[in-house]
Amino acid sequence: MLVREAIGRTLHDLGVRTVFGVVGSGNFHFTDALIQAGARFVAARNEGGASVMADAYARMSDEVAVLSLHQGCGYTNSLTGIAEAAKSRTPLLVLTAEATEPTSNFFIDQQGIAQGLGAVALRVRSPRTALDDVTRAYELCARERRTVVLNVPIDVQDEPLPEGARAVPRPAVGDPRPAAADVAEFARLLRSARRPVFVAGRGARTSGGREALIALAERSGALLATSAVARGLFHDQEWSIDVSGGFSTPLAAELIAGADLVVGWGCALNMWTMRHGRLIADDATVVQVDLERAAIGRVRPVDLGLWGGVAETAADTLAAVGEQRATGYRTPDIAARIAAEGSWKQVPYRDKSTEPSDPGTGAIDPRTLTIELDQLLPAERVVSVDSGNFLGYPSMYLDVPDHYGFCFTQAFQSVGLGLSTAIGAALAQPGRLPVAACGDGGFMMGISELETVVRLGLPLLMVVYNDSMYGAEVHHFGPESPGLSTVTFPDTDIAAIARGYGCEALTVRTPDDLGPLKSWLENPERRPLVIDAKTSSTEGSWWLREAFGH
């Protein structure tokens, strides 16, 4: 057996079931070995799209996804998606061929680039160590939720596997638990808090984290919130105030800012989640729980840090708090306000849709559009968003059923990832309606993967918030700023382009234009649908004003 065949078989034996990539000469054979072992290969049109699909798939499936790449240029094409995954601690294994001869056109420092992105850089060192190298890379992904770049030198993959080659067994190590004294202090803080708030991040999505936090919050009278990336974690909870940070409703911002104890659970408490720190009162006590010791207090000072897993720390603290149930923030008045004001859809706004003066004119307010979509679409959905001025509307006005219903690849804030994100999420959650929400700039940037949507037969709904500009830049610098011609564009008929790819398409300027969407949803054989929504964009969105302080 050759090394390239052993790589494919080993990864499948370890649990890899889905591989994304673009195949070239360098990764042809180990990709085929994965397929022959039983893995599904999803061919993208560009390595950049493939890396984002793999990231999204891993997030929405709790599996280690594999990204297969050609050496050199195939690898560099994928770097934005790898950076996003590394920043998000996605369990993504990047399996890339590597040219090790400096005379090769494909030669670059692939390991150095991976380290610069924040990923773990490893290499298949030799035929003798190949199985151990592959196993170690996979386990780093699965056990430590890291993005790993495993370089496979071209000459090594073509060599035979020596007899007796094996992986070195490594014992499974559980998540750490905080020291007993820290748990006791945390329990004391909870018992004395009158207005506690829990903010759960991606670290709370681990097994048992949700249930443990709900139990501890109930005992201590805490309200439940999430970072944007963990949206949906507490969707069914009466005391959930949804997202903390730039996306917060006015009520959520008021309640978090009024808290006397704020606890971040697997959450960085960064500028986005805490509105540059303004959501934490000057006299509030701040506690942070995290598996990564270096993350505690890295963004802002905390009064108490607990190094441990979310589920383990919450369970230990529940036992230490005692049986007496505290009222905390859970009063009838707060319950009534959450019921009446807890959703952005309940916040009044002035509709800024523009009436059509002639055929082919007029624009719909993005809030009106998204509220209409929320009412039309089935509850079982998985929503993926791109970056841009528009992104708060689908992120907050579209309900999601749980934390597997929202895929938020925004750690790197790159425009153009939304369509590929939706493909990966759709494959991970095939029982739900997949929804991609993109701006016109991001959609056009990643449009090559529209062919992938059609080829795979995904029943994907793509909503393009089309204001013919990079709205974040236009609204950040202001309408009177010189040079806005660099970020504004002629109106593009995205619906016509989508039909050319084989999609169904609608142009939407008013709520009535969404009528055909109902028929599409009722059709079990539906093709992908692109909604070219001509949206009004007369001002920056509320989250953009928060982000840039204007």
Side-chain angles (χ1 to χ4, degrees), residues 317-340:
T317 307
L318 181 67
V321 165
E323 296 298 324
Q324 185 171 350
R325 197 178 305 273
T327 300
Y329 237 149
R330 299 189 173 197
T331 66
D333 173 63
I334 297 298
R337 293 193 66 192
I338 292 174

Side-chain angles (χ1 to χ4, degrees), residues 64 91-92 136-146 148:
V64 174
L92 172 63
R136 180 184 173 215
Y138 177 88
E139 290 180 346
L140 273 172
C141 293
R143 294 181 183 179
E144 298 187 22
R145 299 190 64 81
R146 297 297 302 274
V148 177

Side-chain angles (χ1 to χ4, degrees), residues 89-162:
R89 292 186 73 97
T90 300
L92 172 63
L93 177 55
V94 181
L95 189 64
T96 178
E98 181 186 30
T100 55
E101 289 296 327
T103 54
S104 169
N105 288 344
F106 297 120
F107 177 79
I108 53 172
D109 183 3
Q110 295 189 179
Q111 283 195 302
I113 292 171
Q115 291 167 347
L117 298 177
V120 178
L122 299 176
R123 175 177 285 129
V124 175
R125 294 165 291 168
S126 69
R128 180 179 57 81
T129 65
L131 297 183
D132 190 56
D133 294 333
V134 171
T135 301
R136 180 184 173 215
Y138 177 88
E139 290 180 346
L140 273 172
C141 293
R143 294 181 183 179
E144 298 187 22
R145 299 190 64 81
R146 297 297 302 274
T147 295
V148 177
V149 175
L150 180 62
N151 292 282
V152 186
I154 296 171
D155 53 347
V156 172
Q157 63 174 286
D158 290 336
E159 293 187 31
L161 196 72

Side-chain angles (χ1 to χ4, degrees), residues 115-273:
Q115 291 167 347
L117 298 177
V120 178
L122 299 176
R123 175 177 285 129
V124 175
R125 294 165 291 168
S126 69
R128 180 179 57 81
T129 65
L131 297 183
D132 190 56
D133 294 333
V134 171
T135 301
R136 180 184 173 215
Y138 177 88
E139 290 180 346
L140 273 172
C141 293
R143 294 181 183 179
E144 298 187 22
R145 299 190 64 81
R146 297 297 302 274
T147 295
V148 177
V149 175
L150 180 62
N151 292 282
V152 186
I154 296 171
D155 53 347
V156 172
Q157 63 174 286
D158 290 336
E159 293 187 31
L161 196 72
E163 185 176 347
R166 63 185 182 88
V168 177
R170 296 175 181 83
V173 178
D175 289 340
R177 301 186 97 99
D182 292 336
V183 171
E185 174 61 11
F186 185 23
R188 184 190 70 79
L189 292 173
L190 282 172
R191 285 193 295 268
S192 62
R194 297 170 62 90
R195 299 178 305 280
V197 171
F198 289 177
V199 183
R202 68 172 60 89
R205 293 176 42 150
T206 54
S207 176
R210 176 187 126 93
E211 292 73 19
L213 288 181
I214 290 171
L216 182 60
E218 183 178 356
R219 185 76 57 84
S220 57
L223 300 180
L224 293 163
T226 70
S227 66
V229 75
R231 184 170 191 240
L233 188 67
F234 304 123
H235 174 75
D236 58 348
Q237 295 299 301
E238 176 188 2
W239 298 100
S240 168
I241 53 174
D242 211 346
V243 173
S244 172
F247 289 167
S248 290
T249 62
L251 175 63
E254 174 191 330
L255 294 174
I256 297 168
D260 60 354
L261 174 64
V262 177
V263 186
W265 296 90
C267 169
L269 301 176
N270 60 22
M271 57 177 281
W272 303 107
T273 308

Side-chain angles (χ1 to χ4, degrees), residues 242 249 338 340-347 396-397 399:
D242 211 346
T249 62
I338 292 174
E341 309 169 50
S343 165
W344 270 108
K345 294 190 291 292
Q346 296 168 308
V347 177
M396 295 306 300
Y397 285 81
D399 288 337

